[in-house]
Structures are given as structure tokens and as C-alpha cells.
Amino acid sequence: MLPGTTPELVREQMAELADLTRTAGADITGSDVQRRAAVDPAHFIGMGKVEELRELRLEGAFDLIVCNDDLSPRQQRNLELELKTRVLDRTEVILEIFAQHARTHEGRLQVEAARLHHLLPRLIGAYAYDRQVGGRRGGVGARGGFGEQQIEVERRRIRRRMRDLEREIEQVRSQRHQQRTGRRRAELETAAIVGYTNAGKSTLLNALTGARVHAEQKLFATLDPTTRRLDLHTGRGLLLTDTVGFIQKLPTDLVAAFRATLEEVTEADVILQVLDVSSPAVEEQAETVEEVLTDLEAVHKPRVVALNKVDLLGPAARRRAVGALTARYPGAVAISAINRSGFAELLEAIDKASRGDVVALDLLVPYGREGVLAELRRIGGVERTEYVQDGTRAWGWAPRHAVRRFEPYAAASARPARARISGKA
Ligand SMILES: Nc1nc2c(ncn2[C@@H]2O[C@H](COP(=O)(O)OP(=O)(O)OP(=O)(O)O)[C@@H](O)[C@H]2O)c(=O)[nH]1
Ligand SMILES: [Mg+2]
């Protein structure tokens, strides 16, 4: 614990690190926090602490050390040599989880690129071998170090692999881009679900759209984005995408590795932010989400905030949490993705926020051409209709980019110059 942090913050981070470590497949046998004025450049922790750990290690108390802060390659190697065991930092635990959870080709490529990026400067010393390409666990402790020459060969191999990966990821990216352009042609607005890991994003996508994305009490259960159509109460469709969760201290190179996936967020018309209000760390988690959204240049997009998991709070705690968060996010909607409560209000908020740049329409649709109105319902909205002599008079709205197809039906009284097809709804 360094000056500038608080005991509460450290406690929350340590609890989260324990969750991360368990998710990665290890058991926790103990944890410790050391107060220091500055980190030790050689060992990160003080030499006294290293001695203590060495004793415990000899007693067989642990066979893995996980550190909440990022270690320099030198600190990591020194600790591994002193303690004769593997030492991971937070980033590496996250990388391990990512590697275990990546399902799609794209996800795997991104994880491998992130791992290699992280590995390259660490390719030294006794335990480096275990961390190389695709470096699954196992064999810890048994292997000796690489000679300088071997390391150089290895470095070159990794750089080559990284270049190949970059090329492949670029390809996947352009495929995704084409898919998105395809969706654009479908002319539905898009919303991306974002939030801290474990906030309930996948559960919400499933509940809203009947999708079957894997959701569980684990961090980073989702790595690959899934897109489903969401039908709003008005009949309008919207494309909803579930994405990888955010986490504090997520290293920027990891965010960069997931750029292709996170582009779903950058490109979305609307952000659906999910907060876990039952978490004592909800404020910090909201802060992390703001930071990542800022990085992704998505912070100014229209946003709907869902205060999830209210079912876990008693009435008083709920009032307190919801009150505090609506002060920060006016218009936020309290929901339970599991109990499906608050959904009507949430859908309404999504409907409003996702109207974007729309144009008011006043149409006269001849009888027999009702398909036009069905189309308008699907991509925009119909607010009122009236049956008149020549057909159906309809007032509604459509996204500006889709308005041209309705121009032939502009109501006669609205002319000249298609005057009613203009302005904001
Ligand atoms: N009690 C309660 N639990 C919920 C609610 N929504 C989600 N959960 C639980 O929270 C856990 C995480 O849910 P996920 O939907 O996997 O969360 P996520 O945000 O997709 O998480 P990652 O993909 O790991 O980032 C699961 O165990 C869900 O059952 C809710 O409204 N109430
Ligand atoms: Mg998920």
C-alpha cells in the first residue's frame, strides 16, 4: 500500500484480485498488504517480506504469488528467483482468464497478441520459459534459464508471430466492419451494452432478447461480442451488442488488443451502461467505465444507465444506492436483469435515447401500400394514423439517413417542397 491510496480502496482491489485469481483457476491460501513509502525497485516488496514469504514457501504454503500492482520484468524475475515459484501480476491474471475464456477466432487472436506483447520484455531468466507463446501453466520450477542467444532467437520468433497476428486481426477487423455496414443497410440503430465485469451485461442481453450468452458469477465471462435484435414496444427493432467487461487498472495495451471488439462500442449509436448497484465498489466501477468510454471516444454518445441487481438490496439500501447514482446519472433506471423488473421503463429509455438524428414525417400512404407503414414502424415510429379518402395519413418519424424512401409518400397538404419532412421529431 503506497501513499495516496486508502485502506478501503486497497481492500476492494484485493477482494477483486482474489476473485480474478479464483476465476483463473487458483485457490487463495493467504493474502497480505505491505505499507511502504515507495516500491522496492528490485523486489517490489521489502526484503523482510521476501524472507517471510520464503519461509512460507518452504513450508509449502503456496505455489503461486499474485501481485495487485504491475511488476516490472526485473521485479518479477527477482521474486521468482528468490521464492522459486511463479509470480504473476494483475495484468497476467487477467490475461490468463482471457486466454481461458476466448471462444472465437477473433478473441483468441486478440488474447494471443496481448500475451505476446506482455511477454516480450519479460523474456529473461529462469521462469520466462513458462510464459512463452500460448504459455499454459505447468512445469513451474523445473526448467532452467535460456541462454542469451536462445532468448534472442525466441524474441525474433515472437516478433514475427506478433506481426502475423496483427495482420490477421486487421483482417478480422475489416470483416467486422463489413458486417456492421450490412447492419447499417438494415438501417437499425445499434446499442452497445457496457459495464464493469460481472455487472450483469450478458444476463440483461439474454433477458431482453432471448439470446443465450453465457452468464456467470465469474469475471470476464464474456470476451466476444454478441449482437441480437431487440424489439422495442413500438415495434421498432434495435441491434444490441454485449461486450467484454471493463475492470480497473486494465492496462492500455490490453484495451488496444481488444480494439476490434471494442469498436462495437465506438460505433454504437447508443450506450447501454449496466451498473451493479449491489456492489460496494459501484462508484469506482462507474468511474472505470467513464474512463474506458473516454478512451473509446464514446463518452458523449446518448446513454441509458441501468442500475442492475436491485433485487439484492433491502428497501433502505436500495433507496440509498439508487438515490446516489441517479444524482450522478439523471434518468437512470433501476432494474433486475434476473427478475426482469424495471424493463418497461428501461425499454422506453432505450427507445428515446436511440432515436438519434430523426426527422418528423407526415405521410399519406395509399391503400394497398401498407408495407410502407410496417417499414416505418420497424426503423422509426408511427405516432398517429388517420384513415382518409386516399389512404392512411400517418404521422411519425424516421432516422434521417432512411428518410428518402418515404419522400414519395409525403402528404399533399405538407407540400410545397416536402416541407413536412424536416426538422426534429
Ligand atoms: N441477483 C442478481 N444477480 C444478477 C442480476 N443480473 C446478473 N446477475 C448475476 O451476476 C453474475 C454476472 O452476470 P453476467 O451477466 O455474466 O455479467 P457480465 O456483466 O456479462 O459479466 P462479464 O461478461 O464477466 O463481464 C451472474 O451470476 C448473474 O446471474 C440481477 O439482476 N440480480
Ligand atoms: Mg458477460
Side-chain angles (χ1 to χ4, degrees):
M1 188 179 153
L2 296 167
T5 52
T6 64
E8 295 79 53
L9 214 63
V10 171
R11 206 175 312 123
E12 273 158 19
Q13 287 185 1
M14 291 298 281
E16 182 173 87
L17 184 68
D19 277 346
L20 285 167
T21 308
R22 272 189 289 267
T23 299
D27 296 322
I28 313 289
T29 56
S31 77
D32 203 356
V33 173
Q34 186 179 31
R35 256 173 219 277
R36 289 182 64 91
V39 298
D40 181 284
H43 293 91
F44 187 75
I45 47 178
M47 226 25 223
K49 200 51 104 183
V50 173
E51 286 305 328
E52 237 174 77
L53 285 171
R54 203 191 342 240
E55 290 291 308
L56 284 168
R57 169 82 180 125
L58 287 174
E59 291 164 19
F62 61 84
D63 55 14
L64 173 69
I65 291 204
V66 172
C67 179
N68 185 43
D69 290 287
D70 281 334
L71 296 168
S72 72
R74 175 169 167 233
Q75 290 162 342
Q76 187 173 32
R77 182 186 44 166
N78 286 344
L79 282 175
E80 290 191 333
L81 290 173
E82 295 280 356
L83 300 170
K84 308 254 179 309
T85 189
R86 251 184 99 158
V87 176
L88 302 182
D89 61 20
R90 189 174 236 267
T91 304
E92 286 173 322
V93 178
I94 295 173
L95 280 170
E96 176 64 29
I97 299 173
F98 277 16
Q100 288 172 14
H101 290 183
R103 294 276 174 275
T104 61
H105 182 55
E106 177 183 9
R108 293 216 175 95
L109 292 176
Q110 295 182 116
V111 171
E112 193 186 342
R115 283 194 132 182
L116 292 181
H117 190 92
H118 188 80
L119 168 68
L120 203 55
R122 290 172 171 73
L123 205 64
I124 34 173
Y127 291 85
Y129 185 83
D130 289 315
R131 286 195 212 99
Q132 68 183 312
V133 195
R136 311 296 309 185
R137 205 150 280 184
V140 177
R143 297 198 171 82
F146 270 13
E148 263 313 311
Q149 212 180 348
Q150 276 166 299
I151 290 174
E152 198 38 51
V153 171
E154 192 57 17
R155 274 201 198 112
R156 240 175 279 140
R157 198 171 70 80
I158 290 177
R159 285 206 190 93
R160 210 174 318 122
R161 179 72 189 136
M162 284 170 76
R163 274 194 298 276
D164 291 347
L165 280 171
E166 242 164 63
R167 212 168 305 129
E168 267 189 84
I169 290 173
E170 199 44 54
Q171 265 171 17
V172 179
R173 253 185 102 194
S174 76
Q175 275 166 17
R176 290 192 83 75
H177 186 73
Q178 277 161 16
Q179 279 174 10
R180 268 196 303 264
T181 321
R183 281 188 225 149
R184 277 273 166 242
R185 265 200 295 278
E187 278 167 348
L188 299 180
E189 301 283 301
T190 57
I193 308 183
V194 304
Y196 209 76
T197 181
N198 211 44
K201 301 178 294 299
S202 302
T203 308
L204 183 61
L205 179 83
N206 292 345
L208 287 175
T209 69
R212 291 189 184 186
V213 176
H214 182 66
E216 65 174 328
Q217 187 57 38
K218 276 194 171 175
L219 305 177
F220 300 113
T222 310
L223 271 196
D224 304 305
T226 303
T227 302
R228 286 289 178 276
R229 186 190 158 114
L230 167 67
D231 291 310
L232 295 169
H233 52 293
T234 59
R236 183 162 68 100
L238 192 86
L239 292 172
L240 195 57
T241 302
D242 177 25
T243 62
V244 59
F246 304 160
I247 194 164
Q248 54 180 324
K249 298 171 137 201
L250 187 67
T252 36
D253 52 339
L254 218 67
V255 177
F258 279 83
R259 196 178 41 146
T261 303
L262 290 169
E263 261 177 18
E264 293 288 338
V265 178
T266 309
E267 304 264 320
D269 298 306
V270 179
I271 302 296
L272 173 52
Q273 179 181 359
V274 182
L275 289 170
D276 174 359
V277 290
S278 75
S279 163
V282 63
E283 300 273 354
E284 286 85 45
Q285 297 181 353
E287 202 42 56
T288 300
V289 171
E290 294 303 326
E291 283 162 19
V292 183
L293 286 178
T294 305
D295 279 354
L296 297 174
E297 294 176 10
V299 80
H300 296 302
K301 285 183 193 284
R303 204 189 300 183
V304 174
V305 178
L307 308 178
N308 193 30
K309 307 199 189 181
V310 287
D311 58 289
L312 293 176
L313 299 175
R318 180 188 301 202
R319 256 196 313 278
R320 206 175 323 114
V322 171
L325 288 159
T326 38
R328 174 164 189 177
Y329 297 108
V333 185
I335 65 159
S336 164
I338 282 212
N339 297 342
R340 301 167 158 269
S341 70
F343 277 19
E345 209 186 322
L346 181 68
L347 288 171
E348 190 140 327
I350 295 174
D351 179 30
K352 286 223 179 75
S354 64
R355 289 191 182 191
D357 185 13
V358 301
V359 171
L361 299 178
D362 176 356
L363 307 178
L364 178 63
V365 180
Y367 292 118
R369 304 296 305 270
E370 281 73 19
V372 172
L373 289 178
E375 175 78 356
L376 184 58
R377 272 198 191 88
R378 194 176 67 81
I379 64 174
V382 175
E383 272 141 13
R384 191 158 68 87
T385 55
E386 219 171 76
Y387 299 104
V388 296
Q389 204 180 353
D390 313 332
T392 309
R393 184 86 182 262
W395 291 267
W397 59 271
R400 187 175 297 278
H401 60 79
V403 116
R404 288 194 55 177
R405 72 175 71 178
F406 298 104
E407 285 181 355
Y409 305 99
S413 65
R415 288 178 188 140
R418 304 189 293 252
R420 294 292 177 92
I421 303 189
S422 65
K424 280 231 166 193

